[in-house]
Amino acid sequence: EPEVTQTPSHQVTQMGQEVILRCVPISNHLYFYWYRQILGQKVEFLVSFYNNEISEKSEIFDDQFSVERPDGSNFTLKIRSTKLEDSAMYFCASSNQGAEDSPLHFGNGTRLTVT
Amino acid sequence: GESVGLHLPTLSVQEGDNSIINCAYSNSASDYFIWYKQESGKGPQFIIDIRSNMDKRQGQRVTVLLNKTVKHLSLQIAATQPGDSAVYFCAENQAGTALIFGKGTTLSVSS
C-alpha cells in the first residue's frame, strides 16, 4: 500500500538554526498538509497546500515557517530560525481530494529537537 | 474556540472485550469525521470515517456512530486485541477547511 514517507526521522538542531523537514506524499495525491504534535498532546494543524500554493494555515504557521513543493514528488517544511518551543513531532499528510472529502494519510513523522 | 474533544483520556479493557471510545464535537457545521489510531512512534493511521448524512458505519471489527443531535461520535472496537493498544483520535472537518483533531484517548488492552 502506498505511503507517505518523511525524512529525517529525527532532527536535532540548535536554537536559531534553520531546518528543512522533507516529505514524499503518496504519488497520485494532490493535497498536502503539515501537522505537529508536541509530546503527549493532540495533533495540531499547521498548513495545507494545493495547486502549488497554501490553501489554509493556522496561527502556529507564522513567518518563520514556509512550505515548498520543489519538484513533482517532494513537499518540504522549513523553519527559518528555530525556537525551543518548536520541538515536536512534525507529520506530513496527503490526500487525493480535499480534507472535507477524503481522509488524510500521514507519514510517521520527524521528531524535531531544538536545543 | 470550537474544538473536537474526547470524554476520557484513558481506557483500559481486557482482551476480547468490546471497547467504546467517545468524542464530543462542538461545531454543528462539521460534516465529515474520521477516527485515527496512533501507535507509539508512528503517525496517525486512518481507521474509519463517516459523513454527517449517516449515523452509523461499519468496518472490520470497528463501528463508528454519529449522533448529530448531541454532537457525539463514538468508535466501537469489537473483540479488542493487544494490537489495538494505541492512542485514538477523532477528527472533524469544519466548514470544508482543515481537519481538526481532538485530544486523544489512550486504549490499553491487557491479556
Side-chain angles (χ1 to χ4, degrees):
Chain A
E1 184 176 323
E3 58 182 26
V4 175
T5 57
Q6 292 185 242
T7 55
S9 57
H10 191 187
Q11 174 84 49
V12 181
T13 190
Q14 289 189 327
M15 193 168 52
Q17 295 296 304
E18 174 183 287
V19 293
I20 297 176
L21 310 183
R22 303 182 189 279
C23 170
V24 179
I26 294 173
S27 62
N28 64 340
H29 285 184
L30 302 175
Y31 298 80
F32 314 112
Y33 311 84
W34 283 101
Y35 283 75
R36 80 171 187 189
Q37 184 179 34
I38 295 171
L39 185 64
Q41 298 187 26
K42 66 179 181 179
V43 181
E44 299 176 293
F45 170 73
L46 293 178
V47 66
S48 58
F49 190 88
Y50 171 71
N51 200 26
N52 284 320
E53 62 183 22
I54 290 173
S55 44
E56 187 180 358
K57 60 183 180 180
S58 73
E59 58 188 25
I60 301 170
F61 194 88
D62 61 22
D63 292 345
Q64 294 299 311
F65 290 87
S66 62
V67 290
E68 190 178 26
R69 187 155 164 81
D71 52 42
S73 60
N74 291 284
F75 181 51
T76 62
L77 174 69
K78 181 193 290 186
I79 308 175
R80 220 177 317 278
S81 177
T82 50
K83 303 185 286 289
L84 294 176
E85 54 265 38
D86 292 328
S87 295
M89 285 290 292
Y90 287 81
F91 293 106
C92 173
S94 68
S95 62
N96 58 3
Q97 299 177 63
E100 68 274 20
D101 291 318
S102 64
L104 277 58
H105 296 266
F106 286 82
N108 282 328
T110 292
R111 179 178 299 282
L112 177 65
T113 302
V114 182
T115 61
Chain B
E2 295 177 322
S3 63
V4 176
L6 287 168
H7 290 298
L8 292 174
T10 60
L11 177 65
S12 297
V13 301
Q14 293 285 321
E15 182 178 2
D17 287 352
N18 296 331
S19 302
I20 300 175
I21 301 171
N22 296 304
C23 173
Y25 65 95
S26 57
N27 187 350
S28 57
S30 293
D31 54 10
Y32 182 47
F33 304 89
I34 305 175
W35 279 102
Y36 282 94
K37 173 186 181 183
Q38 187 179 27
E39 296 173 290
S40 181
K42 295 188 177 181
Q45 177 187 0
F46 170 77
I47 301 173
I48 192 167
D49 58 0
I50 190 167
R51 299 199 176 278
S52 59
N53 61 352
M54 302 173 70
D55 52 22
K56 181 179 179 179
R57 191 163 187 223
Q58 288 184 293
Q60 187 177 13
R61 277 202 308 119
V62 295
T63 301
V64 55
L65 298 177
L66 176 62
N67 185 331
K68 295 181 288 293
T69 302
V70 295
K71 289 182 281 188
H72 184 267
L73 191 71
S74 69
L75 177 70
Q76 300 178 0
I77 305 173
T80 314
Q81 302 168 359
D84 294 327
S85 294
V87 180
Y88 289 81
F89 294 93
C90 66
E92 67 174 316
N93 181 262
Q94 298 179 341
T97 57
L99 187 69
I100 302 300
F101 280 74
K103 290 184 180 178
T105 290
T106 299
L107 176 65
S108 298
V109 183
S110 53
S111 53

